[in-house]
Amino acid sequence: MAGLRRMGAYLRTLQSFEVQTNTTIDVVMEDDGQKVQFDGTGLYRVRRPNAFFIEQRTDRRHRQYIYDGTTFTVYSPRMHYYAQEAAAGTIIQTINLAEERYKVFLPLTDLFYWGTPEDESESITSAQRIGFARIGD
């Protein structure tokens, strides 16, 4: 937990940063209970205090989330559809607006919360160290 708080504190010192992710998600299918894995990638380009570009690509979905300080946009490149909403304020305020009003849940929003009063770390009841893993090179 201390390491996550330090990571959050460090990210808050940066005016801009970029994070690239590779993900695997387990989904339990509603109709027959089978577990299916979907791979994906993510890209986060953040400029504090009020701009980001987040791209999420999975086997099933491709979305781009753009916040420029005044407008929040969700774009689906595959379908050529987008939606926009006025959103002034900070990155966290925009994330909260997307979740609360539109039920749009951006991936890895913990990056913006760790080490703040909103990080919900109190709800974590257990953790364990699994060991080292090589990711990429």
Side-chain angles (χ1 to χ4, degrees):
M1 295 306 297
L4 290 171
R5 286 187 199 95
R6 283 193 309 272
M7 176 200 68
Y10 173 70
L11 288 175
R12 284 190 302 282
T13 68
L14 302 176
Q15 278 302 113
S16 61
F17 64 90
E18 180 176 306
V19 175
Q20 295 181 16
T21 65
N22 292 308
T23 60
T24 300
I25 237 176
D26 291 331
V27 175
V28 177
M29 305 306 286
E30 290 182 20
D31 54 343
D32 60 7
Q34 290 190 52
K35 186 165 54 169
V36 180
Q37 286 188 333
F38 297 103
D39 291 331
T41 60
L43 172 65
Y44 299 76
R45 291 187 179 131
V46 178
R47 190 182 73 234
R48 293 194 184 278
N50 61 354
F52 61 71
F53 171 84
I54 299 172
E55 182 168 40
Q56 181 183 37
R57 290 176 181 253
T58 68
D59 296 330
R60 300 178 80 186
R61 161 186 289 189
H62 182 191
R63 294 288 184 275
Q64 295 176 344
Y65 307 95
I66 303 111
Y67 173 51
D68 65 3
T70 59
T71 305
F72 176 65
T73 304
V74 179
Y75 176 57
S76 174
R78 286 183 191 157
M79 298 168 46
H80 304 289
Y81 288 124
Y82 73 94
Q84 289 185 314
E85 178 66 32
T90 66
I91 291 169
I92 288 180
Q93 289 169 326
T94 301
I95 290 169
N96 290 338
L97 171 77
E99 289 179 1
E100 292 167 9
R101 188 177 294 170
Y102 302 106
K103 306 300 182 223
V104 172
F105 297 94
L106 302 176
L108 290 178
T109 56
D110 290 350
L111 287 174
F112 304 105
Y113 289 107
W114 282 114
T116 70
E118 296 89 9
D119 75 5
E120 298 184 8
S121 60
E122 297 301 319
S123 65
I124 297 173
T125 59
S126 68
Q128 78 182 55
R129 183 172 184 214
I130 302 299
F132 294 99
R134 179 177 292 279
I135 299 172
D137 293 331

